[in-house]
Amino acid sequence: MVRQRFRGLFQKYWLVLFMAVAVPLAINGVIEAWFGYRDQRARLDQLLGLQATSAATRIHGFIDEITNELGWLVQLPWTDGPDELRRTDALRLLRQAPAVASLTLCDHAGRERLYISRVGLNRVDSRAERSTDPAVVGARSARIWFGDVNYNRGSEPYLTVAMSGNRPSAGVVVAEVNLKLIWEVISAIKVGDAGFAFVLDRPGRLIAHPDLSLVLRGADEATSKPFQAIRYAIGRAGTGFARGRDLRGDPIAAAGAPVAGPDWTVVVQQPLSEAFAPIYAALWRTALLLLLGTMFSGLLAYGLADRMTNPIRLLEEGTEKIRAGHFDHRITIETGDELQRLADSFNRMASQLALAREHQERIARLKRFLAPQVADLVDRTGDDSVLEGRRAEVVVVFADLRGFTSFSAGVAPEEVMSVLSEYYEVLGKVIAAFAATLISFSGDGLMVLVNAPVPVKEPALTAVDLAVAMQRSVQELIGCWRERGYEVGFGVGLASGSATVGRIGYASRFDYTAIGSVVNLAARLCASAADREILMNGEVAAAVKDRRALKALGDRPIKGYDEAIPVFGIAFDAPLKACAD
Amino acid sequence: MGDQAMPVGAPMASAGCKAARRAPMFDRIGRRDVLALLGAAAAWTYPARAQRSIPVLGYLCPESPVPFASRLKAFHDGLRETGYIEGKNVAIEYRWAEGQYKRLPDLAASLVARDVDIIVAPGGAPVALAAKASTTSKTIVFEMGGDPVQLGVVDSLSRPGGNITGVSSLSVEVSRKRLEFMHELLPAATALAVVANPTSPTAKSQLESLHSAAGVLGVDLQILNASIEQEFEPAFSAAAQKPPTGLVFTSDPYFAFRSGQLAALAQQYRLPAITQSRDFPIAGGLMSYGGDFVQSHRRTGVYAGRILHGEKPSNLPVQLVTRVEFFVNLKAAKILGIELSPSLISSADEVIE
């Protein structure tokens, strides 16, 4: 039970403290991660877009270089005769532009004047009609004309580029460009560590790719399909980069840019893992910091919760100890706060409890010889100074049975004890009723004190009434006893006078008693009293003479007194009540 | 590698088997022997696997190491481009035919028997054909001057199909250009001599192409045959007789690897000559026109490396070299007393002075 409660409190404290640290931390981390992710994405958008534009510029540069070279061949007007200079120029162009596989030069009438090739035989002044050639027509209308990509023997991509001069008389040059040579441009384009670029023509055929073998597969639908899918994704994505999958099926980020002129598209792609690497790194960093923060806050919360619940646990243990009666148990809490105050007040309570118990024990001891009322009085005042020794006017009452010694010799001990217990039971009730102080009892006799330690209003009258009540009660018993054949009587003697009263004894064993001649006198009077007789000295009689029916019995010699002293008796009617058995 | 390790491991393994059979009768001894067997098995399989982990290339070469050195270097460069370095993560078994092309089928067969991972067949159509004939399962990467489709080596350039792919240097296709250059050099000549190797698988197609080109150019051709070194000198001396004054060599590896000899003979007979290999003008010959063998051999190395990396040869299209180079040696022209036209010089990729 106690354990459970303790754990519950610890859990609550821990949870609250942990949440107080971890929740703001987590919220902060998530917000930071979200903004970081957005920033990185925007940066990636920009970066890939720039890469694509730059790649397109480089591809365009490849074409520009060729068209620039071609421009030199269509500057001068054709003459009718062979043009040796132009042939040399064309041969030089072939050397300078390795991508150009062959050149066809036509004059203003569209007749072929020169054809040179790296592989085939050259032709000079064949004057073949070329004016309806799409390349010638295209160049005449648009100055620069790009044909569709065609594949030499189904493998190598070739592009026909035609160009006309500023003046129609300069004719048209048509070049077959081997696009395999773009490889040198495209393979030099790197996007990050593993990213690269590739080029698609308008219908979506692969023209350039760092892996030349893909390009050499020609217009193979299966080969170019994944690339077309990437281009489609880019088109759909609009602004920003698109996501797609590369040939191995790994996710990629891709962006595209157009190549004006031949109407191609350059696509740059980068593995998504690499493109997002900074994002992932940032996320991981945030996650790690969050984890560390959470662990730290967990530990912190544990420490704090422990600090808070430990004093409570100590207090709990303390109360358990007190409950078990260990009043000397003390709690040491030095937190410098309310809990310490609580512990201090607990310690004070424990010490007061110890005092209270001591007091109670003393009261319990007092009750053995004081009337319950007296004992309560002492208890209430908390002061047993009434028990201190002093001189007091007291009435001493002695009583004992007549013929008890001979009776006790003749019967079984059980019988003796049973008689005595009945005897004391009735006497005890009477003494208690009159708030008298029982000083001692031994065998069949007992001594009772009135007016000490607690004074009463009329000590003599009380004592006389007490003696009468005692006689009446005991005589009732005696009546019964006689029926059983026990021949005993009961006499009472009382005397008033000055006596020393107080506590005597040692350690925890002590009694309250009275010392003085009045005690002896009372004892003597009791000894001389016959059965059913109450004897008192003159002092007592003088105190009650008008209120109780006394009779003077004359002077009697009393042992220990030189002269006979006057003795008085009191009559009482003994009740004749049927015995219990 | 595995077959070498086998004889070492086999006796141990059989001893272990015997012990295992005895085991039920002699339990205590048997257990110890079983442990020995396990140890032997571990010792036996480990080196075999370790050795096997380095792939082995079979390099089938028509010539001897010295004339082939520049090609071999280009091949190694290509391999290195894909991350393979001989002796480190790839082993190469060489087979040198030393100019005796008839030996190629046997050498190819020995590579197949050797269980190499890939057969590299550089240096011409005869090598590729010998390699292709020796196996249908091993991957072959060829390097040749001819048209692999026409020769029946592959089905198509873009989809070679089967277990074979490679690089073609276009040298065979441009033999007519050689005739054209010679005609341009000697516009007045009415007849030119052509030296062909009748044993070459491409000889017939080259001669056909040359004859049609001669028809366009308006010259007569004198065909001279040479298939062994001893036939070189007779060819030169025959060409030195009038009327031909220029000598055009068909594309043939046998000629290409003997450029030094040919250059010496050309100087000796004072004949302008053109061959496919740049080695010829470098050695003192007049002109050469042919595919860039450095490029073609390097790409052969790249393809071999890519296949070692696990790519399928059928997915690797046959590559044609992008560079066909024209070399002229002005010193040789001077010795011959020939003036090179500006158009010839301007179209030369390299002019040796």
Side-chain angles (χ1 to χ4, degrees):
Chain A
M1 225 2 220
V2 170
R3 280 268 147 226
Q4 263 177 355
R5 217 163 43 223
F6 156 65
R7 209 186 297 138
L9 196 59
F10 179 84
Q11 271 175 356
K12 274 181 222 161
Y13 276 142
W14 184 83
L15 202 67
V16 167
L17 292 168
F18 173 74
M19 289 304 224
V21 182
V23 167
L25 201 71
I27 290 171
N28 181 47
V30 167
I31 289 172
E32 207 171 280
W34 167 243
F35 281 106
Y37 174 79
R38 276 186 35 167
D39 288 353
Q40 284 286 354
R41 254 198 87 115
R43 206 170 302 157
L44 187 61
D45 268 349
Q46 255 179 352
L47 190 75
L48 274 180
L50 267 173
Q51 296 268 20
T53 316
S54 146
T57 310
R58 291 169 81 166
I59 298 297
H60 208 265
F62 172 84
I63 293 164
D64 276 351
E65 219 172 280
I66 290 166
T67 52
N68 282 345
E69 293 284 342
L70 293 179
W72 292 105
L73 295 178
V74 286
Q75 284 198 323
L76 297 173
W78 282 95
T79 53
D80 271 348
D83 194 335
E84 190 56 27
L85 193 66
R86 211 182 286 244
R87 193 171 78 96
T88 311
D89 281 348
L91 287 169
R92 195 180 291 128
L93 189 151
L94 228 53
R95 209 186 69 218
Q96 280 174 354
V100 176
S102 71
L103 283 171
T104 310
L105 282 88
C106 302
D107 60 15
H108 59 277
R111 286 168 305 185
E112 179 191 297
R113 297 294 293 272
L114 180 65
Y115 169 82
I116 57 171
S117 161
R118 290 180 189 277
V119 177
L121 291 181
N122 300 344
R123 290 189 296 269
V124 180
D125 271 336
S126 70
R127 310 239 173 191
E129 182 58 42
R130 294 249 180 228
S131 56
T132 54
D133 210 18
V136 176
V137 174
R140 275 181 170 165
S141 62
R143 200 170 127 70
I144 298 179
W145 176 86
F146 295 97
D148 281 339
V149 172
N150 60 76
Y151 291 87
N152 178 30
R153 305 183 61 184
S155 172
E156 290 184 310
Y158 275 79
L159 175 70
T160 307
V161 180
M163 197 173 175
S164 63
N166 284 336
R167 289 168 290 171
S169 58
V172 172
V173 59
V174 180
E176 289 294 325
V177 179
N178 187 347
L179 296 178
K180 227 164 61 171
L181 277 96
I182 301 183
W183 182 83
E184 280 169 20
V185 179
I186 207 87
S187 64
I189 297 173
K190 296 268 178 257
V191 184
D193 285 333
F196 57 87
F198 61 87
V199 182
L200 296 179
D201 72 353
R202 190 157 27 79
R205 293 176 299 186
L206 192 64
I207 293 168
H209 190 282
D211 182 1
L212 192 57
S213 59
L214 291 174
V215 178
L216 294 180
R217 284 184 202 168
D220 181 23
E221 195 57 35
T223 304
S224 49
K225 209 163 191 175
F227 299 105
Q228 288 169 11
I230 294 171
R231 186 170 74 169
Y232 176 71
I234 291 168
R236 213 180 29 185
T239 56
F241 69 89
R243 286 159 192 252
R245 298 206 167 263
D246 66 4
L247 292 181
R248 272 176 307 192
D250 295 332
I252 52 157
V259 179
D263 199 6
W264 295 342
T265 312
V266 176
V267 174
V268 292
Q269 69 169 63
Q270 192 177 22
L272 211 56
S273 58
E274 192 189 309
F276 277 6
I279 297 177
Y280 290 146
L283 286 178
W284 272 116
R285 211 166 39 233
T286 307
L288 194 72
L289 283 175
L290 263 179
L291 189 73
L292 283 174
T294 308
M295 273 164 63
F296 177 71
S297 63
L299 284 174
L300 198 75
Y302 186 90
L304 278 173
D306 193 53
R307 254 182 80 101
M308 290 179 78
T309 52
N310 206 38
I312 293 172
R313 189 174 52 79
L314 283 175
L315 284 166
E316 221 166 25
E317 279 171 10
T319 52
E320 284 297 305
K321 285 262 172 71
I322 296 293
R323 197 167 64 97
H326 302 290
F327 295 120
D328 54 344
H329 182 79
R330 292 291 176 273
I331 299 168
T332 316
I333 295 172
E334 281 169 4
T335 53
D337 55 14
E338 284 86 343
L339 284 168
Q340 187 177 349
R341 221 149 61 199
L342 181 60
D344 290 347
S345 108
F346 178 90
N347 287 341
R348 275 200 301 279
M349 180 194 81
S351 64
Q352 278 165 5
L353 273 177
L355 280 176
R357 186 170 66 165
E358 209 180 301
H359 179 70
Q360 261 182 348
E361 279 170 358
R362 208 175 57 229
I363 296 299
R365 279 198 304 271
L366 287 178
K367 277 186 175 169
R368 279 194 292 139
F369 54 84
L370 291 181
Q373 300 94 313
V374 178
D376 281 343
L377 176 77
V378 174
D379 188 10
R380 264 201 310 280
T381 57
D383 174 16
D384 51 2
S385 61
V386 289
L387 303 180
E388 299 299 311
R390 63 187 158 96
R391 292 292 294 178
E393 284 298 316
V394 295
V395 181
V396 181
V397 180
F398 271 88
D400 68 357
L401 291 172
R402 301 282 170 266
F404 184 73
T405 314
S406 53
F407 157 74
S408 62
V411 294
E414 295 84 27
E415 202 70 19
V416 175
M417 295 321 280
S418 143
V419 166
L420 275 181
S421 71
E422 284 175 35
Y423 169 66
Y424 278 121
E425 196 177 325
V426 297
L427 281 182
K429 275 181 193 160
V430 175
I431 294 165
F434 284 87
T437 306
L438 175 67
I439 299 299
S440 66
F441 53 85
S442 64
D444 60 322
L446 83 158
M447 175 183 167
V448 174
L449 209 57
V450 178
N451 205 32
V454 183
V456 295
K457 247 183 203 157
E458 302 228 35
L461 189 61
T462 309
V464 169
D465 288 347
L466 169 70
V468 170
M470 284 163 87
Q471 270 295 1
R472 282 182 155 182
S473 313
V474 175
Q475 287 307 328
E476 251 178 62
L477 273 178
I478 287 171
C480 296
W481 290 342
R482 287 209 175 117
E483 282 176 23
R484 282 191 249 161
Y486 305 157
E487 283 302 329
V488 289
F490 180 65
V492 178
L494 60 160
S496 80
S498 179
T500 301
V501 291
R503 192 161 45 176
I504 57 164
Y506 64 93
S508 60
R509 182 78 185 91
F510 55 87
D511 279 336
Y512 191 78
T513 195
I515 301 146
S517 60
V518 67
V519 180
N520 287 337
L521 181 59
R524 299 286 180 242
L525 286 172
C526 176
S528 67
D531 181 31
R532 305 179 65 93
E533 201 169 36
I534 300 167
L535 296 183
M536 62 195 86
N537 69 349
E539 224 173 301
V540 176
V544 300
K545 63 182 180 212
D546 295 330
R547 284 169 285 178
R548 292 294 180 268
L550 302 177
K551 68 180 181 204
L553 298 175
D555 293 352
R556 281 198 192 185
I558 299 297
K559 203 178 172 184
Y561 288 80
D562 296 338
E563 304 168 26
I565 59 161
V567 173
F568 298 85
I570 187 167
F572 63 91
D573 46 335
L576 287 169
K577 198 180 139 225
C579 291
D581 51 330
Chain B
M1 292 293 153
D3 51 353
Q4 272 185 351
M6 194 61 149
V8 184
M12 287 193 191
S14 63
C17 283
K18 245 181 269 167
R21 273 200 300 278
R22 271 203 316 267
M25 282 165 73
F26 304 98
D27 191 29
R28 206 157 46 85
I29 304 162
R31 210 180 308 145
R32 217 187 299 147
D33 281 12
V34 168
L35 286 175
L37 164 69
L38 287 174
W44 168 45
T45 53
Y46 179 71
R49 220 183 314 144
Q51 283 171 4
R52 195 70 235 184
S53 68
I54 291 187
V56 184
L57 289 179
Y59 196 83
L60 182 60
C61 181
E63 297 294 334
S64 45
V66 177
F68 221 76
S70 53
R71 277 78 168 170
L72 195 55
K73 185 187 170 296
F75 174 75
H76 279 302
D77 288 348
L79 265 187
R80 200 170 303 121
E81 227 172 88
T82 58
Y84 283 102
I85 293 169
E86 183 183 8
K88 196 173 156 205
N89 53 2
V90 67
I92 303 183
E93 280 280 315
Y94 295 96
R95 292 290 183 273
W96 306 100
E98 287 165 347
Q100 292 168 288
Y101 290 16
K102 283 179 191 140
R103 288 179 56 199
L104 286 170
D106 286 345
L107 294 175
S110 85
L111 284 176
V112 173
R114 181 73 185 69
D115 197 24
V116 295
D117 293 279
I118 298 173
I119 294 175
V120 180
V127 190
L129 290 168
K132 189 177 161 79
S134 70
T135 180
T136 52
S137 55
K138 294 249 170 289
T139 301
I140 298 164
V141 182
F142 62 78
E143 187 279 340
M144 63 165 80
D147 181 343
V149 179
Q150 200 179 22
L151 290 165
V153 176
V154 294
D155 301 334
S156 82
L157 295 182
S158 57
R159 291 278 175 193
N163 58 331
I164 187 160
T165 187
V167 184
S168 173
S169 69
L170 296 175
S171 292
V172 166
E173 206 180 341
V174 298
S175 45
R176 59 187 174 198
K177 287 295 275 185
R178 250 169 260 138
L179 187 69
E180 191 182 66
F181 281 120
M182 189 53 79
H183 175 68
E184 195 173 343
L185 182 74
L186 308 169
T190 55
L192 293 170
V194 168
V195 185
N197 180 355
T199 63
S200 165
T202 61
K204 189 166 164 275
S205 67
Q206 288 194 70
L207 286 177
E208 278 170 15
S209 158
L210 282 169
H211 276 298
S212 79
V216 173
L217 296 170
V219 291
D220 289 332
L221 291 186
Q222 180 188 1
I223 309 296
L224 304 166
N225 284 328
S227 56
I228 54 170
E229 287 176 16
Q230 289 73 20
E231 292 173 346
F232 285 167
E233 189 151 4
F236 274 89
S237 71
Q241 320 288 325
K242 52 187 183 312
T245 50
L247 203 54
V248 175
F249 281 83
T250 57
S251 293
D252 194 274
Y254 194 78
F255 299 157
F257 290 111
R258 281 155 190 81
S259 295
Q261 260 174 286
L262 297 179
L265 284 167
Q267 280 175 357
Q268 185 189 332
Y269 285 92
R270 295 186 60 79
L271 276 172
I274 182 166
T275 72
Q276 77 179 90
S277 167
R278 64 163 85 145
D279 295 342
F280 179 70
I282 288 169
L286 183 64
M287 299 187 290
S288 75
Y289 191 70
D292 179 355
F293 65 76
V294 173
Q295 198 185 57
S296 63
H297 281 270
R298 206 188 67 234
R299 289 191 181 173
T300 310
V302 171
Y303 261 13
R306 285 179 65 169
I307 290 164
L308 285 180
H309 277 302
E311 289 194 52
K312 285 203 178 73
S314 54
N315 283 340
L316 297 174
V318 173
Q319 291 202 40
L320 306 178
V321 293
T322 51
R323 192 170 137 93
V324 187
E325 54 190 13
F326 180 45
F327 272 57
V328 291
N329 188 331
L330 286 185
K331 218 165 77 184
K334 210 174 201 178
I335 293 167
L336 293 169
I338 299 171
E339 187 76 22
L340 288 173
S341 70
S343 64
L344 264 185
I345 292 176
S346 64
S347 55
D349 295 277
E350 193 100 1
V351 179
I352 299 158
E353 301 197 46

